[in-house]
Each structure stands twice: as C-alpha cells, then as structure tokens.
C-alpha cells in the first residue's frame, strides 16, 4: 500500500485571546497619573502587581487526524470559524501547530488569500517569476510553463502592468494560474476562488480535476459552494468548532452539513429561533409545506410532478410597504432549482406593525424528481435591502410515483406560481 502524501495526527492549534478591562473615558492627564501610579506600585510591590488583562486559551483546532493519498481531491467544509483556514495555514507551513504532527511528502502550492506571494509594485510578468520562486520552482521550469500560465489567466493584455492596478478577480486569475501550472505535488485552495466570476470558477474546477486525475496531484479545496465541492471532490471533511465531525463521501458530508441546522418538514416548522440575517423589520416565524390536493385521509406526502403549497408566516415590527418575499428551493448540493417571488407577479406586500401575514406560494407542477430538497426564504425591499433571510429554513422530501416521468433540465427556467396573501389575526 502506498504511503499517504499527507498525514495529520492529533493536530491542535491554540491561541491566547486577550481580554482587557475597559475603563471609563480618561483624559491625557488621568492616563499619565495612572501610568505613574502603576509603575510606582509595581516597583514597590513586584509580587503584587495589579493585572487588569486576562487571557483565555482558544483552540482553533483540536484532535484533528486524517490521511490523504496522492491524487485525491479532498473538500473541506464548515461554517465560518470552524478552523478551515487555520488547518490550511498549518499544512502550508505558514503557522506552526500547538500539538500533534503533520507529515507532507512533496511540494505544496497554496492559494489562501488574494494576492498572496505577489508584490504590488511588480508587473504581472515579474510576479509570475517571483511567485514561482517562492513556490520553489527553477527559472527554467517557469519559462517552460510561462505561455500556458498567461493563456489560462486571461490577463495577457495587462501582463506588463503593476499588479497594484489589478482588480481582485485579475489577482486570483494570475495567482491560480501560477499555482496550478507550476507542478506542485499538493495544491491547497481556499475560498479565494469565490472572487472570480462564474466562468473562471468553472474553469478552475476543471483544471484542478485534470491535474489531480491526469497528473496525479493532490487537491485540498475549501469552499462554501457545495456545488463546486460536489463537482470536484469525491471525499470531503466537515469541520465544526475545530474538530472533524465527518470524513466521508462528499454526498454524505454535504447532506449532513446542509441539514444539521435544518428541520425536516412534517406539518409546520417554527422559525422563531432560526439562524437568520437582515435588518429584522419583518421576520419569518413559520413555514408549512403540503400537497395542494390533500387526500381525504389527510396524507401530506409530496409526489413528483404534483402541485405544492408552501405557506410562510411573517411578523412585522414596523409599518413597511413595498416588501418582496422570495422562496428558493435547492438540491442537497446547494444548486438553486426554483426561485419565485411576488415581484415577478408585479405586486409588493405591505405590513402593519405587530401584525402577522401568511404568504401562500402555490407551485404548479414543479419539475422536482424524487429526492430530498432544501427550502430557503428571503424578504427584502428594493432589490438591495435584506430584511430577513433564512438560508435553509427546512428540508423536505419528494416521493416517487410508480409512473413517474419527470425530466429535470439543468436550467429549469421559470416556474408557474400563484400567490395568496392572508392577514392573520
């Protein structure tokens, strides 16, 4: 059996967080008197020096262990603050671990932040050679790959322009092109690719897949884009609070990640304590999903191709008009399948302070094949202001009929949706 190219054993990284007691506002004279008194007290009583600063030990990573074989494409997922970037910095030898050990066999190229390894005063051409040298490449190796790097980055027109004049997207294009073409055995890519446009992200994912499968290089890819993770990585690691929660097939990891804080719909899901963003002027309080034609026995099973009724309840804290309510359905890879809102029908919703309203979305024959889906909710105004957003409000399942003939296209297009607004008591 071949030796792993990356070995991580009981890895831990801790930081000291400083907490300092904040005083009331002091004048310059007060600060000077305080400094003299503190110094005098410290000299007279060195063992009883007063300390107002305390430190708390914070473990960004704890007890992390895994092996990665040569040529594997590994996704790393987790919410902000889970420890993903800390892990990549340790593997890139940017920071030292506090505990444990790592073993790396091969040359590592990292793309962790926009412009890492670039000098702003140098041109794009000069930075290719500089960045290549930082990655440990010979000049002859850089020259051999130079034309491919320039072609892939699509910045040939600005190659002799100082990179301080580049946009963040151009930075990423050039940095990724250098890292991907200079033949490292291990390529580590953080969420930095999100800066690029959609076509370039697709191009990068294709390149990473090629270098891993065709050239036997190893990829570690961190992203919040579950579609990108699913497209590139057969295996993924889910980090939470600095620990590995799941290391398995990407499909299983993505499903677990998406649904961990998401309620499975039964009759009604309470959204009062859901994770949300927005100004909070109006908030979603509950959501209900059921078939339009409920059977006589009260069965609430959803079947592919049949009409679905989704009712969202909202409570307003102020009087506000011109509100748009959107309903988004994703598959478990995070791909957006359906996005409907009342503005598409040419009307907006008005709320009164402390009043509830129910918005009923009736999806007519949605092209959803049997499987599990995620529901997201958004309320906003003017297309720019987010009033309330619950990214993943709940999950639900579409069941298969024996005669199912639903064909789902890659881009489903516009769905027929009817709206009903009801004032609640």
């Amino acid at each position: 059996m071949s030796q792993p190219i990356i070995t991580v054993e009981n890895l831990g990284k801790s930081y000291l967080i400083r907490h300092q007691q904040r005083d009331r506002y002091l004048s310059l004279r007060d600060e000077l008197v305080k400094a003299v008194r503190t110094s005098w007290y410290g000299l007279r009583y060195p063992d009883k020096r007063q300390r107002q600063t305390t430190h708390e030990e914070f473990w960004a990573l704890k007890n992390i262990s895994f092996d990665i074989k040569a040529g594997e494409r590994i996704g790393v997922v987790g919410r902000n603050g889970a420890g993903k970037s800390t892990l990549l910095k340790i593997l890139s030898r940017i920071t030292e671990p506090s505990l444990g050990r790592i073993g790396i066999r091969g040359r590592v190229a990292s793309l962790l932040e926009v412009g890492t390894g670039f000098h702003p005063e140098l041109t794009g051409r000069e930075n290719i050679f500089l960045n290549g040298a930082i990655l440990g490449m010979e000049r002859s190796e850089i020259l051999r790959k130079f034309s491919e790097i320039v072609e892939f980055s699509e910045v040939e027109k600005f190659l002799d322009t100082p990179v301080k004049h580049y946009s963040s997207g151009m930075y990423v294009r050039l940095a990724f092109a250098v890292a991907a073409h200079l033949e490292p055995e291990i390529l580590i890519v953080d969420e930095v690719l999100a800066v690029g446009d959609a076509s370039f992200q697709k191009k990068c994912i294709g390149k990473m897949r090629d270098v891993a499968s065709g050239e036997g290089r190893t990829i570690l890819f961190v992203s919040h884009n579950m579609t990108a993770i699913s497209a590139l990585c057969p295996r993924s690691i889910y980090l939470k609070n600095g620990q590995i929660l799941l290391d398995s097939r990407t499909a299983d990891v993505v499903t677990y990640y998406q649904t961990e804080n998401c309620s499975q719909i039964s009759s009604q899901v309470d959204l009062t304590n859901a994770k949300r963003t927005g100004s909070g002027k109006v908030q979603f309080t509950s959501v209900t999903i059921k078939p339009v034609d409920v059977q006589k026995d009260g069965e609430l099973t959803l079947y592919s191709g049949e009409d679905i009724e989704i009712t969202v309840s909202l409570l307003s804290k102020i009087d506000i008009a011109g509100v748009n309510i959107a309903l988004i359905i994703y598959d478990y890879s995070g791909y957006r399948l359906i996005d409907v809102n009342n503005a598409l029908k040419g009307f907006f919703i008005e709320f009164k302070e402390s009043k509830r309203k129910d918005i009923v979305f009736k999806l007519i024959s949605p092209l959803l094949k049997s499987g599990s889906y995620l529901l997201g909710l958004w309320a906003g105004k003017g297309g720019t202001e987010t009033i309330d957003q619950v990214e993943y409000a709940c999950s639900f399942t579409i069941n298969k009929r024996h005669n199912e003939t639903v064909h789902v296209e890659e881009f489903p297009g516009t769905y027929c949706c009817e709206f009903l607004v009801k004032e609640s008591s």
Side-chain angles (χ1 to χ4, degrees):
M1 182 179 293
S2 61
Q3 185 178 355
I5 195 169
I6 298 177
T7 301
V8 176
E9 296 179 357
N10 299 318
L11 188 68
K13 179 63 179 179
S14 66
Y15 295 95
L16 288 179
I17 303 176
R18 183 180 179 185
H19 300 284
Q20 186 169 6
Q21 182 179 343
R22 299 185 64 88
D23 295 329
R24 62 178 177 84
Y25 173 78
L26 299 176
S27 66
L28 177 59
R29 183 182 67 179
D30 293 333
E31 290 286 3
L32 292 174
V33 171
K34 179 183 175 183
V36 171
R37 285 177 176 172
T38 302
S39 300
W40 176 84
Y41 186 88
L43 290 172
R44 187 169 181 180
Y45 305 104
D47 296 331
K48 298 182 179 180
R49 190 170 299 174
Q50 292 179 328
R51 294 182 179 179
Q52 291 185 326
T53 301
T54 60
H55 294 85
E56 174 190 352
E57 189 177 37
F58 169 73
W59 286 90
L61 295 173
K62 197 168 186 179
N63 299 326
I64 300 291
S65 298
F66 59 85
D67 290 333
I68 298 176
K69 297 178 181 178
E72 279 196 284
R73 305 189 302 271
I74 307 297
V76 182
V77 304
R79 304 193 183 279
N80 293 332
K84 304 185 299 298
S85 295
T86 301
L87 175 62
L88 297 195
K89 287 177 180 178
I90 292 175
L91 294 177
S92 303
R93 298 187 177 95
I94 294 173
T95 186
E96 291 289 329
S98 303
L99 293 173
R101 63 174 293 272
I102 61 170
I104 297 178
R105 299 169 53 244
R107 200 162 43 180
V108 178
S110 303
L111 189 59
L112 304 182
E113 295 180 11
V114 176
T116 300
F118 279 16
H119 193 293
E121 298 296 335
L122 300 181
T123 65
R125 184 188 304 274
E126 292 166 334
N127 270 296
I128 291 176
F129 286 93
L130 172 64
N131 198 235
I134 291 173
L135 295 175
M137 312 297 173
E138 298 290 338
R139 181 177 175 83
S140 59
E141 188 178 358
I142 300 173
L143 286 170
R144 180 162 48 88
K145 291 283 186 177
F146 187 83
S147 59
E148 294 180 36
I149 293 170
V150 174
E151 182 181 357
F152 187 91
S153 66
E154 301 175 5
V155 297
E156 183 177 4
K157 184 178 179 181
F158 308 97
L159 198 59
D160 295 307
T161 301
V163 297
K164 67 181 181 180
H165 300 302
Y166 283 18
S167 67
S168 57
M170 293 168 66
Y171 254 112
V172 168
R173 286 175 180 271
L174 191 58
F176 181 85
V178 174
H181 284 82
L182 294 185
E183 301 181 355
E185 283 77 18
I186 302 167
L187 179 60
I188 297 176
V189 183
D190 205 341
E191 187 66 25
V192 65
L193 287 185
V195 177
D197 54 58
S199 62
F200 185 70
Q201 290 182 38
K202 185 176 181 180
K203 187 177 179 179
C204 290
I205 290 172
K207 178 63 178 177
M208 287 190 285
R209 187 186 293 113
D210 292 342
V211 300
S213 57
E215 303 174 26
R217 283 183 262 168
T218 303
I219 308 289
L220 265 77
F221 181 43
V222 168
S223 179
H224 291 286
N225 186 331
M226 295 300 105
T227 302
I229 289 282
S230 300
L232 176 66
C233 306
R235 170 190 166 196
S236 290
I237 296 171
Y238 177 19
L239 286 179
K240 183 176 181 181
N241 298 327
Q243 296 182 303
I244 294 180
L245 208 60
L246 185 62
D247 181 353
S248 184
R249 294 187 315 121
T250 294
D252 297 334
V253 172
V254 168
T255 299
Y256 190 88
Y257 172 65
Q258 299 277 34
T259 58
E260 186 187 11
N261 298 302
C262 186
S263 301
Q264 172 68 38
I265 195 76
S266 53
S267 56
Q268 185 181 75
V269 172
D270 185 1
L271 301 178
T272 306
N273 298 316
K275 291 185 178 180
R276 60 199 340 128
T277 57
S279 63
K281 299 173 184 175
V282 178
Q283 289 192 335
F284 295 102
T285 58
S286 67
V287 59
T288 303
I289 303 178
K290 65 178 183 178
V292 171
D293 298 322
V294 179
Q295 303 299 317
K296 292 181 180 179
D297 58 3
E299 182 187 5
L300 297 178
T301 305
L302 304 174
Y303 290 100
S304 56
E306 296 187 354
D307 300 348
I308 300 175
E309 182 178 288
I310 302 175
T311 303
V312 293
S313 298
L314 302 99
L315 176 63
S316 179
K317 295 182 180 180
I318 62 172
D319 290 348
I320 185 171
V323 177
N324 187 22
I325 309 297
L327 178 151
I328 309 100
I329 295 177
Y330 308 86
D331 64 14
Y332 264 52
S333 67
Y335 184 81
R336 182 177 299 201
L337 299 174
I338 297 177
D339 188 341
V340 293
N341 59 78
N342 51 268
L344 294 174
K345 292 291 184 178
F347 73 94
F348 294 90
I349 301 172
E350 181 178 355
F351 289 88
K352 296 295 183 181
E353 182 179 357
S354 301
K355 293 292 185 180
R356 293 182 182 272
K357 277 193 176 179
D358 293 336
I359 314 299
V360 181
F361 296 80
K362 183 180 178 182
L363 301 178
I364 310 300
S365 301
L367 298 180
L368 296 175
K369 60 183 180 180
S370 56
S372 296
Y373 298 89
L374 299 164
L375 176 69
L377 302 172
W378 179 87
K381 186 175 181 180
T384 56
E385 179 187 359
T386 296
I387 297 174
D388 192 30
Q389 180 177 12
V390 181
E391 186 176 14
Y392 298 123
C394 65
S395 63
F396 64 95
T397 300
I398 298 291
N399 293 274
K400 181 180 180 179
R401 294 267 190 204
H402 293 300
N403 59 346
E404 177 180 349
T405 57
V406 176
H407 301 287
V408 180
E409 301 176 1
E410 183 178 0
F411 300 101
T414 302
Y415 283 88
C416 180
C417 179
E418 297 177 0
F419 294 89
L420 175 64
V421 181
K422 299 189 295 184
E423 197 85 35
S424 299
S425 57

